[in-house]
Amino acid sequence: MRISVCAAGLVAATALLAAMNPALAQSESAGIVIYNAQHESLGVAWAEAFTKETGIKVTLRKGSDMEFANQIVQEGAASPADVFLTENSPAMSLVDQADLFEPVAKDTLAQVPETFQPSNGHWVGVAARSTVFAYDKTKLTEDKLPKSLLDLADPAWKGRWAASPAGADFQAIVSALLALKGEAATKEWLAAMKTNFTAYKGNSTAMKAVNAGEVEGAVIYHYYYFGDQAKTGENSKNVALHFFKNQDPGAFVSISGGGVLASSQHKTEAQAFLKWLTGKGGQAVLRDGASFEYAVSKDAESNAALPALSTLDYPKVDPQSLNSKSVTDLMTAAGIL
């Protein structure tokens, strides 16, 4: 997708861009290529708003987290991408471990709490989503809900819960479990999961299964429920969300990341995009749009329909520690993948 502005608007936009970053006033603004593993509609909304405000053209290429991460590693210094956006952070870690990111500008990092960026500053959080247990409220009451994600390993939950294990979303949750509880506990939980759960393809499908009474609950991210509720609610009318407490692995908040590739030929423009994305403009798209993902920047407001991020008792996990390869190896060994 190519997003542009008209000639008259470009003059004004270029002036605004120069004010944002004087270095760009020295030459005509170049376009950037974004490998977008975020939801397509959210990526388009961000790109259009950025171009409208700055005059920088954007080419979006759509793919999945790990698809693009592995592609970038293979492309190396020859990658045509300037920016990589993900839904979850393990894919960012894979690219970072290959030393393929340009460090994020300090003024951009300063806009985001340390909780939502890796400790090395090679990429930055741009949005977030909370792990939840979506349950059938016609069958379960609050006193019957699991108090921890680990409780789902109990034989009492056999055949009663679901997940979408092949997706990057669930694998990020398992990455957090591994980081928080260690390999032995993760292996044990995955072995029990193999016995207890039902696999569905996609979080939306898992939620629909809960709504239809096929299973009593599913481990998903929060925004699938809020997105459906904002439409017809037909796939979530029997569903309620349980937010785990006590910094449980089931309360994990996954970070959507953004990074500038070291191979980029347009680093100034790419850095400007990350600064805008984590600033008022990019975070306002989350607040006002229909993605229902959390805004993560300092003082940024999320969609009013969501429980405040500050009220979620989530565990603090350095996203740099989330290891996608170890997780897929463990899940494969457990027979889940």
Side-chain angles (χ1 to χ4, degrees), residues 101-116:
F101 279 133
E102 183 81 3
V104 177
K106 291 183 179 179
D107 54 353
T108 297
L109 294 174
Q111 297 184 140
V112 179
E114 291 184 0
T115 300
F116 301 121

Side-chain angles (χ1 to χ4, degrees), residues 191-219:
M193 174 183 170
K194 171 65 175 175
T195 299
N196 287 357
F197 95 121
T198 301
Y200 287 89
K201 186 175 181 180
N203 285 280
S204 293
T205 306
M207 184 179 71
K208 289 179 183 178
V210 175
N211 188 65
E214 295 175 19
V215 288
E216 294 178 30
V219 177

Side-chain angles (χ1 to χ4, degrees), residues 214-295:
E214 295 175 19
V215 288
E216 294 178 30
V219 177
I220 63 173
Y221 283 148
H222 77 277
Y223 63 89
Y224 292 96
Y225 170 84
F226 287 99
D228 187 70
Q229 286 284 300
K231 296 175 183 176
T232 64
E234 64 180 326
N235 297 313
S236 58
K237 62 182 179 180
N238 297 324
V239 176
L241 298 186
H242 174 51
F243 289 82
F244 292 101
K245 301 295 183 181
N246 304 314
Q247 300 183 31
D248 188 78
F252 170 62
V253 170
S254 183
I255 303 169
S256 298
V260 174
L261 295 183
S263 59
S264 171
Q265 300 299 305
H266 309 101
K267 288 188 176 69
T268 303
E269 292 85 355
Q271 292 281 6
F273 176 74
L274 281 192
K275 184 176 182 180
W276 177 89
L277 198 57
T278 56
K280 291 182 179 179
Q283 298 294 286
V285 171
L286 297 172
R287 180 195 65 207
D288 301 333
S291 71
F292 293 99
E293 296 192 46
Y294 281 102

Side-chain angles (χ1 to χ4, degrees), residues 130-211:
S130 175
T131 308
V132 295
F133 187 67
Y135 67 95
D136 185 341
K137 62 186 179 182
T138 71
K139 295 181 178 179
L140 292 175
T141 53
E142 289 191 13
D143 61 311
K144 302 297 183 182
L145 296 173
K147 291 181 172 58
S148 167
L149 180 73
L150 301 179
D151 290 348
L152 295 175
D154 192 298
W157 280 98
K158 184 176 181 179
R160 298 171 59 196
W161 69 280
S164 177
D169 287 357
F170 189 79
Q171 290 171 24
I173 296 168
V174 179
S175 291
L177 176 63
L178 178 61
L180 291 164
K181 298 297 183 179
E183 184 173 327
T186 302
K187 282 183 176 179
E188 182 179 352
W189 188 82
L190 289 172
M193 174 183 170
K194 171 65 175 175
T195 299
N196 287 357
F197 95 121
T198 301
Y200 287 89
K201 186 175 181 180
N203 285 280
S204 293
T205 306
M207 184 179 71
K208 289 179 183 178
V210 175
N211 188 65

Side-chain angles (χ1 to χ4, degrees), residues 285-310:
V285 171
L286 297 172
R287 180 195 65 207
D288 301 333
S291 71
F292 293 99
E293 296 192 46
Y294 281 102
V296 295
S297 296
K298 296 175 181 177
D299 301 321
E301 295 181 358
S302 298
N303 191 294
L306 303 177
L309 186 58
S310 61

